[in-house]
Amino acid sequence: MKEFRIPMPARYGINLALIAMFLITGNGVMTSGMLSRAQGAIVIEVGIFIILAVSLNVVAGYLGQLPLGHAGFMAVGAYSAAIFWRSDVLSGVPSIIGGLLVAGLMAAIFGIIIGIPALRLKGDYLAIITLGFGEIIRVVIINLPQITGGTPGLLNIPRHTNFLLLYVCVIITCAVIHMMMKSRHGRAILSLRENEIAAESCGVKTTYYKVMAFSLSAFFAGVAGAFYAGTLGMLTPGPFNFMKSINILVMVVLGGMGSMMGSVIAASILTALPLLMQGLNDYRLIIYALMLIIVMIFKPSGLMGTYDFSLSRILEKAGNWMMTRGDKKGGVA
Amino acid sequence: MLLFAQLVNGLQLGSIYALIALGYSMVYGIIKLLNFAHGDVIMVGGYISLMIIATGTHPMVAVVMAVVGCALLAVMIYRLAYVPQGPTAPRLSLLIAAIGVSMLLQNLAQLIFSANIHSFPANDIIPMVIYSVGGVNISLASIMTIVSAVSSMAGLTLLVHKTKTGQAMLAVSEDTGAAQLMGVNVRSIVTFTFAIGAGLAGIGSILYCVRFPIVSPMMGALPGLKAFVAAVLGGIGSIPGAMIGGFAIGLFEALVNSAGLSTWTDGIVFAILIVVLLVRPTGFMGPSMAEKV
């Protein structure tokens, strides 16, 4: 019996239709005033954290390393975008897009600069060195008041973040990383996770692909930083600390390392949790911490493991099931 | 003269970092876990001694109770958060559990004691006396800190090298499987290691509170991170390495501060860490890594 398969163009069609539906309804809800100010802010924050978690997943999940300095790249992006937007080099839409690109590129450049020395090390040592770089970026920001405003921070940053722009970027991030991981470059990165020595002896350029994964991850962290700057309208170095990096890592691990859908779900739930548990304000973070420990005891591979969601695949399965049922009926008759 | 004063200051800070770093290093040496909850054990030690001093008992009782309390807490953390994950748990899930424990302790402290800063009665533990040595003022607190830290470390060294339990600790950290086959009860040795590491951190927490006399739910994060850097610098997993690393970080900090670059301190500490890791990836005293292909 021939298996039911949805042809490729139709798969793209299904995905595009879903995305369009999501963006239009989301935008409608956000602009209609159905959500309170706080709820709207949470929706924006969820989007920013989805970009951060999905981008961290490239290094943590697919490359199999443990970076602890993601907040540093976010800070580089946030400050680059803020400085770009405040300088009024461009105006209107080109300025907004330009700021996002500048943020991503600056973060990616830092990713390469940090990645080349850091990736000589492995495992825990790599984790520690990224932690060190993340903290150094913050200390440098504090100590360059002429450029970054120092401890009091930068004020009057144009508030360019809105639902449509942010979630279009969320989707671009997911799509780019998804396509990247399905390409031969992505396969090379995965092979490094599985067995570095074997991969190297098959001709995979280890340093090249590690730095590539690292800078790709940094690029999107920078874009997320730009959105962060564009939401608050002001920036201080304080929030870009070690705990921020840890929070992002927690999302990735809780969702399941190497599962993009896991990262998206964990980022959404953990960011929206404060809103959902408003009644238990004092106990909120205690529950959060207990949840982390309990998930690690009972489901250490994360909520999703390495499972990734595909609507087309589910439709195909449903189709197959319908067809086999049809065949059986035919046999009886 | 100023340099000498800074040297004493650096040794004081360094001995505190070294005491805390030992806990990180010993636990890493045995179960390869970066125990992020270790910094918050310091905070708990601070609150325990604060509460006991407030009841008016003798300060030495507070010191002993803080040390015992920290040790018990670490054993509880090990038994409740790490053991249930089983012996083959992936290291990353242990790490995330450690982060969870750290957040739990911080937020419990915040719930019980509020987020406010409490001032610590440092004078009750070590009276404020200043000696003048050749024109340089040295406080009794500095001397007591260095002496008590160095003697704790000497005690630890004796414990590790002269007792059977200490030998078992070394054996487990070298090869857990082989140690188990030789009849070492691995779980109780790891429990003991957690207790010793946290007990030293308890001493460290009181000395830290004497140096910086405030107690708050978040106070453990900074010394924890610094001590962690110290442990890595000295070679994580190595006991003498943690001591050397601690003193090195303390002295670096004092020197950077005396050069008037205090806002750069944390950055420079991390920069040194990075340079050391790049030149010698396993730290000063760590084992050299040979890779089998």
Side-chain angles (χ1 to χ4, degrees):
Chain A
M1 189 200 79
K2 211 171 140 252
E3 276 211 355
F4 172 63
R5 283 190 75 80
I6 300 173
M8 251 3 242
R11 282 176 168 231
Y12 287 131
I14 292 173
N15 289 344
L16 275 179
L18 270 180
I19 291 167
M21 225 165 71
F22 167 73
L23 287 177
I24 291 167
T25 11
N27 200 34
V29 170
M30 286 293 280
T31 46
S32 68
M34 265 159 63
L35 297 179
S36 71
R37 233 180 120 85
Q39 286 166 330
I42 295 261
V43 172
I44 296 292
E45 209 181 326
V46 165
I48 294 173
F49 272 103
I50 290 177
I51 301 183
L52 286 169
V54 169
S55 65
L56 185 69
N57 197 11
V58 174
V59 178
Y62 299 131
L63 185 61
Q65 301 290 351
L66 177 63
L68 294 177
H70 215 51
F73 296 128
M74 187 187 170
V76 169
Y79 275 92
S80 312
I83 292 164
F84 184 85
W85 284 334
R86 273 162 51 110
S87 68
D88 291 324
V89 184
L90 300 169
S91 61
V93 178
S95 161
I96 300 176
I97 305 291
L100 294 177
L101 283 178
V102 165
L105 288 176
M106 280 302 285
I109 291 170
F110 271 77
I112 294 171
I113 296 172
I114 293 169
I116 289 174
L119 292 166
R120 287 183 49 197
L121 302 171
K122 280 188 195 124
D124 294 339
Y125 293 101
L126 180 97
I128 294 156
I129 209 163
T130 50
L131 188 165
F133 273 118
E135 290 294 298
I136 288 176
I137 289 175
R138 201 166 56 89
V139 173
V140 169
I141 289 173
I142 292 174
N143 283 290
L144 288 177
Q146 308 88 328
I147 305 171
T148 62
T151 315
L154 280 180
L155 298 174
N156 303 326
I157 302 164
R159 291 171 186 239
H160 286 318
T161 306
N162 60 39
F163 177 84
L164 204 58
L165 185 64
L166 173 61
Y167 277 86
V168 166
C169 277
V170 168
I171 285 157
I172 292 175
T173 308
C174 293
V176 168
I177 291 176
H178 179 77
M179 289 192 289
M180 171 93 183
M181 292 320 296
K182 298 281 173 204
S183 75
R184 61 186 299 240
H185 303 289
R187 299 298 190 215
I189 290 171
L190 284 178
S191 75
L192 290 180
R193 177 184 73 184
E194 299 304 333
N195 189 334
E196 192 172 331
I197 296 168
E200 197 170 8
S201 56
C202 293
V204 175
K205 286 179 271 180
T206 49
T207 314
Y208 174 80
Y209 281 112
K210 277 185 186 175
V211 174
M212 182 191 229
F214 215 67
S215 52
L216 183 75
S217 163
F219 179 89
F220 288 112
V223 173
F227 279 113
Y228 181 79
T231 320
L232 290 183
M234 56 164 290
L235 277 182
T236 52
F240 301 105
N241 57 10
F242 173 55
M243 273 321 286
K244 183 77 124 204
S245 306
I246 291 289
N247 279 342
I248 306 167
L249 183 68
V250 163
M251 288 170 186
V252 173
V253 177
L254 212 58
M257 308 258 281
S259 162
M260 184 177 284
M261 192 206 185
S263 296
V264 171
I265 293 180
S268 316
I269 294 178
L270 291 184
T271 317
L273 213 55
L275 193 75
L276 302 176
M277 299 201 296
Q278 228 160 18
L280 322 147
N281 229 342
D282 290 343
Y283 301 94
R284 189 159 52 80
L285 284 165
I286 294 175
I287 294 172
Y288 182 99
L290 280 176
M291 209 173 73
L292 269 186
I293 301 170
I294 290 168
V295 171
M296 283 305 117
I297 291 174
F298 293 107
K299 190 116 177 48
S301 59
L303 296 173
M304 290 285 150
T306 52
Y307 173 80
D308 248 329
F309 175 77
S310 157
L311 182 72
S312 311
R313 206 164 55 211
I314 291 173
L315 286 178
E316 279 173 1
K317 274 196 181 149
N320 274 328
W321 183 71
M322 299 277 278
M323 273 164 65
T324 44
R325 238 177 49 150
D327 281 357
K328 272 181 196 154
K329 271 184 191 160
V332 170
Chain B
M1 280 304 114
L2 186 72
L3 194 69
F4 181 67
Q6 286 299 338
L7 200 69
V8 175
N9 192 9
L11 284 176
Q12 181 185 2
L13 262 179
S15 49
I16 298 171
Y17 290 150
L19 279 179
I20 305 167
L22 281 167
Y24 273 117
S25 219
M26 292 189 334
V27 166
Y28 186 89
I30 287 193
I31 55 170
K32 299 281 175 285
L33 161 71
L34 299 178
N35 186 11
F36 274 111
H38 195 59
D40 300 288
V41 171
I42 303 168
M43 175 267 298
V44 174
Y47 274 110
I48 293 177
S49 47
L50 183 72
M51 282 191 312
I52 292 177
I53 292 174
T55 60
T57 31
H58 192 269
M60 269 324 280
V61 179
V63 174
V64 173
M65 289 303 285
V67 172
V68 173
C70 285
L72 283 179
L73 175 72
V75 170
M76 260 169 62
I77 293 173
Y78 172 61
R79 288 287 166 125
L80 295 180
Y82 304 152
V83 171
Q85 298 190 32
T88 56
R91 285 166 53 197
L92 202 63
S93 64
L94 284 173
L95 183 76
I96 301 290
I99 293 165
V101 171
S102 162
M103 291 173 76
L104 184 67
L105 290 177
Q106 286 176 5
N107 289 297
L108 278 177
Q110 199 158 331
L111 192 70
I112 300 170
F113 301 104
S114 86
N116 297 335
I117 290 172
H118 296 269
S119 69
F120 186 84
N123 288 343
D124 288 358
I125 291 189
I126 302 175
M128 188 66 191
V129 180
I130 290 177
Y131 299 111
S132 183
V133 182
V136 180
N137 291 334
I138 297 173
S139 68
L140 180 64
S142 307
I143 299 171
M144 290 284 285
T145 302
I146 298 170
V147 169
S148 48
V150 170
S151 47
S152 318
M153 285 182 239
L156 177 72
T157 315
L158 279 180
L159 175 81
V160 170
H161 289 285
K162 299 287 175 198
T163 66
K164 222 168 174 181
T165 320
Q167 293 296 305
M169 281 165 67
L170 286 182
V172 172
S173 82
E174 202 153 297
D175 189 333
T176 313
Q180 203 157 17
L181 288 176
M182 295 301 122
V184 175
N185 184 344
V186 171
R187 188 176 287 179
S188 61
I189 290 298
V190 177
T191 310
F192 183 69
T193 309
F194 265 90
I196 292 287
L200 291 171
I203 301 174
S205 89
I206 288 173
L207 298 175
Y208 187 80
C209 289
V210 169
R211 175 74 178 76
F212 304 101
I214 52 166
V215 179
S216 73
M218 299 295 166
M219 66 172 270
L222 194 64
L225 203 58
K226 293 270 179 65
F228 173 57
V229 171
V232 177
L233 197 62
I236 194 153
S238 148
I239 291 175
M243 301 176 191
I244 295 175
F247 282 113
I249 293 287
L251 287 173
F252 280 138
E253 264 196 56
L255 285 180
V256 172
N257 282 341
S258 68
L261 296 169
S262 54
T263 51
W264 286 95
T265 312
D266 294 355
I268 291 174
V269 167
F270 281 109
I272 291 168
L273 171 77
I274 289 168
V275 172
V276 171
L277 280 184
L278 288 178
V279 178
R280 201 180 145 68
T282 50
F284 296 147
M285 307 283 286
S288 55
M289 286 191 294
E291 197 177 339
K292 235 193 254 175
V293 178

